[in-house]
Amino acid sequence: MLFRRKTKTGDSVEEVEKLKQLLNAKSEMVSIGAHQVRTSLSAIKWIIKMFLDGDLGKLTAEQENLLRKAYDGNDKAINLVSEILLVNKSEEVVEKKYVFEKVNIVEMIENTIFDFSGESLWRGIEIIFLKPQTVLPETKVDKEKILVVLQNLIENAIKYSKYHGKIFVSVKIEKENIEISVKDAGIGISEDSKIKIFEKFYRTENAQKKEAMGSGIGLYTTKDIVEKHRGKIWFESKENEGTTFFVSLPISR
């Protein structure tokens, strides 16, 4: 008689594997669908923007008012889809195995800043990369997951900055580690919130007022990834004055 090996929860290994496959399929479907929706919404956004800017002729006051409402609603939808993609990606990277390879961290930062150039321009925010004066050694990391760390920190800095604000990104060698910092002059973090900031699903009151949409999973995921790299993450912040996040990663493993 054949027996199926059981897991600690009592489910068979086969059942667990089947469930994992279903979850992976769901995750991929959500990702593909959300990307397609966001692409279409972005195209609509810029068409509406052309009308509002007068590029396609003068609008009446009523037309402008209606298009402004359509533009704002479309923008909220884009933010929601972006949040779905972020949560979906965050859940994936926490569960996946880590594959370490040597990467050029400066190049990764430059590419990430470029990816957010459209959003930062739209929000009236300048991202300044303070590149190191000397060539940094390649760092052994899981490239996909560290990319999520960079995306989360830079996206948060953009979302919680003030209009016409500046974000400073820097990277340097600190002993045997690569240290990355992302500094904004935005809403900051209150003293009461500092101890909870890396908790899953936690969002500060200020963050909820500034950006209604948000999952509270970004910093939780970021901390998890950094710690799995045997690294450290911390921050300095003053309410209404801004926040700087620091990430320290060992150069070699």
Side-chain angles (χ1 to χ4, degrees):
M1 184 176 179
L2 294 174
F3 292 92
R4 290 188 297 179
R5 184 159 57 91
K6 298 284 183 176
T7 64
K8 290 180 181 179
T9 58
D11 297 324
S12 69
V13 172
E14 289 85 351
E15 288 169 339
V16 171
E17 283 302 315
K18 187 176 180 182
L19 180 59
K20 282 183 178 179
Q21 288 174 9
L22 286 170
L23 289 173
N24 286 337
K26 178 221 72 170
S27 180
E28 187 175 357
M29 188 180 297
V30 168
S31 182
I32 292 169
H35 272 107
Q36 290 174 337
V37 170
R38 188 169 67 174
T39 299
S40 298
L41 288 171
S42 295
I44 293 168
K45 173 181 175 176
W46 294 116
I47 291 171
I48 297 173
K49 187 79 166 59
M50 288 173 70
F51 277 103
L52 289 172
D53 289 345
D55 296 336
L56 302 175
K58 188 172 176 58
L59 299 173
T60 65
E62 186 180 0
Q63 288 172 333
E64 185 175 348
N65 183 48
L66 287 171
L67 281 171
R68 180 68 60 189
K69 289 179 180 177
Y71 182 88
D72 291 343
N74 180 272
D75 202 50
K76 286 177 183 176
I78 291 173
N79 288 337
L80 176 59
V81 174
S82 296
E83 193 64 35
I84 290 170
L85 282 166
L86 177 61
V87 172
N88 193 54
K89 182 71 172 174
S90 298
E91 288 176 343
E92 283 179 357
V93 296
V94 167
E95 295 300 324
K96 282 183 178 178
K97 289 182 179 178
Y98 281 61
V99 179
F100 293 91
E101 59 181 304
K102 285 186 176 181
V103 301
N104 183 326
I105 201 74
V106 171
E107 192 176 287
M108 283 185 68
I109 293 171
E110 285 180 318
N111 291 338
T112 306
I113 291 172
F114 178 79
D115 289 341
F116 283 102
S117 57
E119 185 176 352
S120 61
L121 180 66
W122 174 71
R123 289 176 181 260
I125 294 162
E126 185 181 2
I127 305 177
I128 300 165
F129 183 24
L130 304 173
K131 288 179 69 172
Q133 298 297 311
T134 57
V135 177
L136 300 188
E138 289 189 322
T139 313
K140 207 168 186 182
V141 299
D142 184 303
K143 186 175 181 179
E144 179 187 356
K145 295 175 184 64
I146 291 302
L147 186 58
V148 171
V149 169
L150 295 173
Q151 288 171 343
N152 283 346
L153 294 180
I154 291 173
E155 184 172 35
N156 277 355
I158 293 171
K159 284 191 336 189
Y160 302 123
S161 282
K162 296 166 186 175
Y163 193 70
H164 286 317
K166 291 183 179 180
I167 295 168
F168 294 92
V169 183
S170 66
V171 59
K172 64 179 181 179
I173 297 290
E174 189 67 32
K175 296 182 180 179
E176 299 299 317
N177 300 301
I178 291 277
E179 188 176 291
I180 303 161
S181 69
V182 179
K183 178 181 181 180
D184 66 64
I187 60 175
I189 302 167
S190 69
E191 289 299 320
D192 291 342
S193 296
K194 286 181 178 179
I195 195 168
K196 304 174 187 175
I197 201 69
F198 292 112
E199 288 181 8
K200 196 173 188 179
F201 304 126
Y202 180 76
R203 296 188 74 216
T204 68
E205 234 177 87
N206 280 354
Q208 292 178 55
K209 287 176 184 175
K210 182 79 165 62
E211 291 283 333
M213 301 306 303
S215 64
I217 201 172
L219 287 176
Y220 165 82
T221 303
T222 298
K223 185 172 185 286
D224 184 84
I225 293 170
V226 171
E227 289 180 348
K228 281 189 170 70
H229 279 77
R230 294 187 303 175
K232 294 179 182 178
I233 181 168
W234 69 99
F235 64 92
E236 296 172 358
S237 183
K238 285 187 179 180
E239 196 169 9
N240 297 317
E241 291 186 23
T243 304
T244 304
F245 275 94
F246 300 90
V247 170
S248 178
L249 300 168
I251 294 171
S252 57
R253 301 186 61 79

